């Protein structure tokens, strides 16, 4: 069967090997400039410019037409979207599904609201790839991936909340306090898809200790781990080493954040997707 995976760019996966795949770009926008989250985006430059920008900034999701273009001519499509609680991306994918199935009777699209972003979406895409390569039917894959998504999680370790404040998602006073006091925020993608603060920690080491503790609280026992960093490969490597020391042979990888995740995680942030 002709199957394809499509994910929006918040997954930080602009390419994926083994099965047909496409990434649909989100955009980061200010009153002065638009940044398209694709291969041409220099995230370091974007973060520097946003740090200097004093106005309001936000994001823009792919429209229905962009999702339809990404579906291509696939008979069966699995579309993975950033949490519907923070973006209209999933809703646009659902509208694209309806239009695609109406225009092509017999074809099917499964839209998956990740209720998350970044490396947790990577786990979903990787699992979809495995299931497709096993030769399962569309219905079998949909059932298995929805069951799998109940066992994946996302934790974040942030050292700046400026863009979240500019985007109206946290108080500017809280964001300023985090910057001045060397505080790290440990948070999670909640079960209903919101960014939820769990802890405040003084310094990166304490923040990492709390993050690992939260992984264990979510029944992590050595499953897959995907770490994405926003300009902080050293911290990502440190966390990887901590986990590998406790779980020898652990399947853990590190990758840089794309534009959307860099915007929200900001300079120094870590996002950790894992199987619980």
């Amino acid at each position: 069967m002709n199957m394809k995976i499509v994910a929006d760019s918040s997954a930080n996966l602009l390419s994926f090997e083994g099965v047909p795949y496409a990434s649909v770009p989100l955009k980061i926008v200010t009153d002065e400039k638009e940044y398209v989250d694709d291969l041409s985006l220099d995230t370091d430059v974007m973060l520097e410019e946003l740090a200097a920008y004093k106005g309001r900034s936000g994001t823009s999701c792919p429209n229905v037409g962009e999702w339809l273009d990404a579906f291509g001519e696939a008979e069966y499509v699995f579309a993975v979207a950033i949490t519907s609680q923070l973006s209209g991306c999933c809703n646009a994918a659902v509208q694209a599904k309806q239009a695609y199935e109406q225009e092509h009777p017999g074809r099917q699209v499964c839209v998956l609201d990740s209720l998350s972003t970044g490396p947790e979406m990577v786990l979903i895409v990787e699992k979809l790839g495995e299931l497709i390569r096993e030769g399962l039917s569309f219905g079998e894959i949909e059932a298995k991936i929805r069951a799998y998504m109940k066992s994946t999680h996302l934790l974040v370790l942030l050292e700046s909340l400026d863009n979240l404040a500019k985007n109206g998602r946290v108080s500017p006073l809280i964001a300023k306090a985090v910057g001045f006091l060397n505080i790290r925020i440990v948070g999670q993608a909640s079960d209903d898809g919101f960014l939820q603060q769990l802890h405040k920690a003084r310094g990166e080491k304490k923040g990492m200790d709390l993050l690992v503790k939260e992984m264990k609280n979510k029944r992590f026992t050595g499953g897959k781990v995907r770490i994405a960093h926003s300009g902080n490969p050293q911290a990502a490597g440190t966390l990887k080493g901590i986990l590998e020391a406790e779980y020898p042979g652990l399947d853990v990888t590190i990758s840089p954040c794309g534009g959307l995740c860099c915007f929200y995680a900001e300079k120094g942030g870590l996002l950790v997707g894992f199987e619980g």
Side-chain angles (χ1 to χ4, degrees):
M1 289 184 288
N2 179 14
M3 294 190 178
K4 186 175 187 178
I5 304 171
V6 180
D8 68 61
S9 62
S10 73
N12 304 322
L13 275 177
L14 300 184
S15 63
F16 182 72
E17 296 183 358
V19 298
Y21 176 81
S23 174
V24 187
L26 289 102
K27 301 175 183 67
I28 297 90
V29 293
T30 71
D31 292 335
E32 298 177 354
K33 189 171 182 177
E34 177 180 89
Y35 304 87
V36 180
D37 192 8
D38 59 18
L39 283 170
S40 67
L41 179 62
D42 187 323
T43 55
D44 290 334
V45 171
M46 181 191 79
L47 287 174
E48 289 177 5
E49 292 179 350
L50 289 175
Y53 179 68
K54 302 304 180 184
R56 187 176 175 85
S57 57
T59 60
S60 173
C61 68
N63 59 38
V64 174
E66 290 171 311
W67 278 105
L68 286 171
D69 289 343
F71 293 170
E73 294 299 323
E75 185 177 3
Y76 298 102
V77 179
F78 293 92
V80 186
I82 185 175
T83 173
S84 59
Q85 302 293 356
L86 297 179
S87 170
C89 197
C90 187
N91 183 57
V94 169
Q95 293 180 56
K97 161 191 165 68
Q98 294 167 347
Y100 194 73
E101 292 178 343
Q102 183 175 1
E103 184 177 350
H104 304 286
R107 297 185 185 182
Q108 292 180 274
V109 179
C110 168
V111 177
L112 299 167
D113 182 352
S114 71
L115 297 176
S116 188
T117 191
E120 186 172 0
M121 290 174 68
V122 171
L123 291 172
I124 295 168
V125 170
E126 289 179 348
K127 189 65 175 181
L128 282 168
E130 293 174 13
L131 296 171
I132 290 172
R133 288 189 291 269
E134 288 177 16
L136 301 179
S137 70
F138 179 84
E140 289 172 327
I141 294 173
E142 180 172 3
K144 286 182 177 292
I145 196 62
R146 292 193 185 280
Y148 175 75
M149 288 168 63
K150 295 177 181 179
S151 68
T152 60
H153 307 278
L154 177 75
L155 292 171
V156 301
L157 180 62
L158 307 178
E159 62 179 68
S160 174
L161 301 178
D162 288 347
N163 287 339
L164 285 167
K166 290 177 183 177
N167 197 231
R169 301 197 183 279
V170 300
S171 162
L173 291 176
I174 293 175
K176 185 173 290 187
V178 168
F180 279 130
L181 300 176
N182 191 31
I183 291 173
R184 301 297 191 271
I185 299 297
V186 178
Q188 68 175 354
S190 66
D191 290 341
D192 50 2
F194 288 98
L195 175 60
Q196 178 183 9
Q197 179 180 313
L198 297 175
H199 304 284
K200 293 179 182 177
R202 183 64 65 87
E204 190 171 81
K205 182 181 183 302
K206 179 62 175 177
M208 282 194 191
D209 290 343
L210 288 169
L211 189 148
V212 173
K213 180 180 178 181
E214 285 297 332
M215 289 178 70
K216 294 177 180 178
N217 287 343
K218 295 182 182 300
R219 301 181 182 179
F220 176 73
T221 57
K224 283 185 179 180
V225 180
R226 299 293 177 257
I227 302 171
H229 68 86
S230 180
N232 199 353
Q234 296 84 3
T238 298
L239 178 59
K240 181 175 183 285
I242 291 170
L243 293 171
E244 287 177 326
E246 189 162 352
Y247 303 95
L250 183 67
D251 180 357
V252 53
T253 63
I254 296 173
S255 61
C257 288
L260 193 284
C261 284
C262 275
F263 173 73
Y264 282 120
E266 298 191 56
K267 188 75 171 179
L270 296 181
L271 291 82
V272 184
F274 61 97
E275 297 173 336

